[in-house]
Amino acid sequence: MSRPRLVVLISGNGSNLQALIDAVRDGHLPAEIVLVVSNRKDAYGLIRAQTASIPTHYAPLKPYTDSGRGREAYDADLAAVVHAHQPDVIVCAGWMHVFTPVFLDAFPHRVINLHPALPGMFSGTEAIRRAFEAYQREDINMTGCMVHEVIPEVDAGAVIASMDVPIYEDDTLADLEARMHNAEHGLIVRAVRIVLEQISE
């Protein structure tokens, strides 16, 4: 019996991708990563994938916007690339691109995203910094991260798993970022496992 197939989408360092690679290698995640896609050519995550002998694909948006084709054409072409790898689940792990329904409708309920905030809080970019500033204003006393289903509305899909992350009085932003990333590495593996179990039922 073949293992479930994952496509992972990244835009940067790829530390959460590495957590998935390690979990697959160590037998903690019964799946196979069949493709890593980045919309940034210099993303270190591409090197992580290549080191693990995982196929990669570079998919820049700029040629589409420069030629007037736009996001829907980009999403359609990327969906075709991803579909060719027959993924069971598509994992957005630091992927900095908002999908249109053109992409999402090609993989209904199969696209999930890791976001460094709790449900209903700090959607969009710079979530960790915004949480840190809110803590300093005494608006919140903790933060967290979640994995959710991707829908056209940013960071608003059904939550698959979440984890609280504490903030301490003497924290710097770098301290909170490090603690958040450590939490994310465990959460993303747990969430993918949950989704794969749901698919197999």
Side-chain angles (χ1 to χ4, degrees), residues 5 29 41 46 56 68 70 89 102 105 111 113 122 133 145 148 154 160 167 171 173 180 192 197-199:
R5 299 166 66 84
L29 185 61
K41 192 172 188 177
L46 290 173
T56 60
V89 180
V102 170
D105 290 351
V111 186
N113 178 59
F122 308 111
E133 291 171 352
C145 49
H148 62 90
V154 174
I160 297 159
I167 309 176
D171 272 348
L173 176 57
M180 182 72 79
V192 171
E197 289 171 357
Q198 290 172 343
I199 290 172

Side-chain angles (χ1 to χ4, degrees), residues 17 29 38 53 76 78-79 101 103 106 116-117 122 127 160 168 188 195:
L17 165 65
L29 185 61
S38 176
S53 301
L78 182 57
F103 186 91
F122 308 111
I160 297 159
Y168 301 118
I188 196 169
V195 173

Side-chain angles (χ1 to χ4, degrees), residues 8-111:
V8 183
L9 310 183
I10 64 166
S11 295
N13 180 53
S15 64
N16 288 298
L17 165 65
Q18 190 67 55
L20 292 170
I21 291 171
D22 293 346
V24 168
R25 182 197 63 210
D26 297 342
H28 300 311
L29 185 61
E32 178 184 6
I33 302 172
V34 295
L35 179 69
V36 171
V37 177
S38 176
N39 59 355
R40 294 180 180 168
K41 192 172 188 177
D42 60 352
Y44 185 69
L46 290 173
I47 296 174
R48 294 180 187 272
Q50 292 158 4
T51 300
S53 301
I54 299 168
T56 60
H57 179 75
Y58 169 49
L61 175 62
K62 193 171 186 295
Y64 290 81
T65 54
D66 286 353
S67 65
R69 288 178 289 167
R71 285 179 174 270
E72 291 192 347
Y74 174 88
D75 282 6
D77 288 350
L78 182 57
V81 169
V82 172
H83 190 269
H85 288 78
Q86 299 180 301
D88 294 288
V89 180
I90 299 161
V91 185
C92 300
W95 172 251
M96 303 300 289
H97 171 81
V98 178
F99 281 124
T100 67
V102 170
F103 186 91
L104 298 176
D105 290 351
F107 310 99
H109 308 296
R110 297 294 178 96
V111 186

